[in-house]
């Protein structure tokens, strides 16, 4: 594996590895950038075919967190952790305790939270080993599951996209196809249903799509067909890389806006969407609600402040769409530019402060 070559490709940063044989912990913490503050990002716990796949996932996700915090105006750097889910039977409590000790060893340079495959109970176990964890139980002063906040932000992003692209002020009658109705996808369906949208859902876990059908009147489709549904908005809320050469030519939606991280398999897929006239809501900008919520927890939790900041995702998204139109550039490039402007402005402020001191 080309370890340093990959680091260079993603402009890192630092990466930490941990093997704890007793608990079968194999974990990677990727810290992409900490100019704006300590790196904050979730912990993913899924199976990977190879160590390299886990490593690349951690790098890509951590880089996304730097941009997400910057574009959202949060004083945090970008980091992410990945735990490779053991294929053999394992003790979850022992594994997450070992992970907590690993996080403690990093002395606050990285703060963890939930992501795919981890939940509140895991954060509670981590909390027994380190204070550098967010998304903990509200009964312990935490902000709890970030998914409802992520979903709220995605709903706001969809509203901005619908206003920009379709000229509509609300979501009544807007047809959204949601790919993946897990933590975020479920709450997103709830938000959209309450706003009067029409839903089609697909999930590898049939029980989850049936729940959305029961609770929100969603139509259920096959996971291989959901990207092709004739709808207004395609909302990827499963894992990443769903926008690629096989899916983009078949999209019928005019808007792609969902919660999943790293939706574009390669950056050029953002150009392909732009060329096809499909408005793409850059993933890290639209799905920042969960980060807003856990960042609030890191400085003393205030649910009202977290909600108000999450609602502002509408403005960020609209700004991206307008700049994209003005510059004639794909939205993913515009979002990167806006995040890089924030990082550069912060660095300039630091340099000025040092010169003054
Ligand atoms: P989750 O694991 O709870 O949900 C993902 C769902 O997608 C599951 O129900 C799974 O069965 C389903 N799925 C997997 N492959 C699929 C496929 N090919 N087709 C259809 N469904 C499929 O995870 P989550 O917490 O809801 O996160 C979803 C995405 O949003 C991830 O990419 C995550 O990184 C991103 N995200 C989550 C949060 C958060 O607050 N949880 C915040 C920001 C971004």
């Amino acid at each position: 594996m080309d370890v340093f070559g990959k680091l260079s490709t993603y402009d890192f940063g630092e990466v930490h590895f941990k093997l704890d044989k007793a608990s079968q912990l194999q974990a990677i913490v990727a810290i992409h950038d900490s100019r704006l503050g300590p790196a904050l990002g979730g912990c993913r716990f899924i199976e990977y075919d190879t160590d390299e796949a886990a490593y690349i996932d951690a790098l890509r996700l951590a880089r996304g967190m730097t941009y997400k915090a910057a574009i959202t105006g949060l004083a945090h750097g970008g980091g992410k952790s990945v735990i490779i889910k053991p294929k053999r039977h394992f003790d979850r409590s022992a594994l997450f305790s070992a992970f907590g000790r690993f996080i403690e060893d990093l002395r606050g340079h990285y703060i963890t939270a939930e992501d795919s495959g981890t939940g509140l109970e895991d954060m509670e176990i981590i909390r027994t080993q380190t204070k550098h964890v967010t998304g903990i139980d509200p009964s312990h002063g935490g902000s709890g599951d970030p998914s409802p906040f992520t979903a709220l932000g995605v709903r706001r992003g969809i509203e901005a996209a619908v206003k920009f692209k379709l000229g509509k002020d609300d979501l009544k009658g807007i047809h959204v196809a949601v790919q993946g109705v897990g933590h975020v996808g479920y709450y997103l369906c709830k938000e959209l249903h309450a706003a009067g949208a029409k839903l089609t859902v697909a999930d590898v876990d049939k029980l989850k799509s049936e729940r959305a059908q029961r609770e929100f009147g969603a139509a259920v489709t096959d996971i291989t067909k959901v990207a092709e549904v004739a709808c207004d908005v395609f909302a990827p809320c499963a894992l990443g890389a769903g926008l690629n050469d096989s899916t983009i030519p078949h999209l019928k939606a005019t808007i792609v806006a969902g919660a999943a991280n790293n939706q574009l398999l390669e950056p050029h897929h953002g150009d392909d969407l732009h060329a096809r006239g499909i408005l793409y809501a850059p993933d890290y900008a639209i799905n920042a609600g969960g980060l807003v919520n856990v960042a609030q927890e890191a400085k003393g939790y205030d649910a009202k402040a977290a909600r108000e900041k999450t609602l502002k995702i509408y403005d960020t998204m609209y700004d991206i769409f307008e700049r994209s139109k003005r510059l004639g550039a794909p939205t993913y490039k515009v979002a990167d530019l806006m995040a890089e402007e924030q990082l550069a402005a912060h660095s300039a402020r630091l340099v000025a402060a040092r010169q003054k001191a």
Side-chain angles (χ1 to χ4, degrees), residues 72 82 105 122 146 158 175 245 267 324 326 334 347 353:
T72 314
V82 155
D105 288 344
D122 303 314
I158 291 176
H175 184 184
D245 290 340
S324 159
R326 215 168 43 241
V334 171
S347 300

Side-chain angles (χ1 to χ4, degrees), residues 218-282:
V220 175
T221 190
D222 193 80
I223 58 161
T224 58
K225 295 275 184 293
V226 65
E228 302 173 15
V229 170
C231 59
D232 301 298
V233 183
F234 173 53
C237 296
L239 297 179
L243 300 171
N244 53 51
D245 290 340
S246 335
T247 55
I248 291 174
H250 304 290
L251 286 173
K252 296 192 184 66
T254 47
I255 294 167
V256 174
N261 281 309
N262 296 331
Q263 292 174 30
L264 303 171
L265 176 62
E266 299 286 345
H268 73 82
H269 291 113
D271 300 283
D272 297 346
L273 289 169
H274 184 70
R276 283 204 53 201
I278 297 171
L279 185 66
Y280 168 62

Side-chain angles (χ1 to χ4, degrees), residues 44 61 68 80 114-117 145-147 150 179-185 202-205 208 223 226 237-240 259-261 287 290-291:
R44 184 167 279 196
L61 290 165
K68 189 184 308 204
K80 203 89 178 182
E114 285 102 337
D115 191 62
S116 281
D145 178 8
S147 309
T150 304
Q179 179 186 46
V181 276
H183 285 94
V184 183
D203 199 297
V204 282
D205 182 342
K208 290 183 181 166
I223 58 161
V226 65
C237 296
L239 297 179
N261 281 309
N287 72 14
L291 181 66

Side-chain angles (χ1 to χ4, degrees), residues 120-121 123-125 127-128 131 133-144 297 300-301:
L120 209 60
E121 303 77 29
M123 298 306 118
E124 286 297 313
I125 297 168
R127 197 173 76 90
T128 62
K131 65 177 193 305
V133 52
T134 55
I136 58 173
D137 198 294
S139 64
H140 295 129
S143 61
E297 179 180 333
Y301 190 51

Side-chain angles (χ1 to χ4, degrees), residues 14 16-20 25 29 31 97-110 126 129-132:
E14 57 188 276
H16 303 264
F17 295 89
K18 185 76 179 181
L19 169 68
D20 179 68
L25 175 78
V29 170
I31 299 176
S97 293
F99 180 69
R101 290 192 291 280
F102 177 30
I103 299 304
E104 177 61 13
D105 288 344
L106 300 175
R107 296 170 189 275
H109 201 31
Y110 165 70
I126 295 169
Q129 307 296 324
T130 181
K131 65 177 193 305
H132 306 299

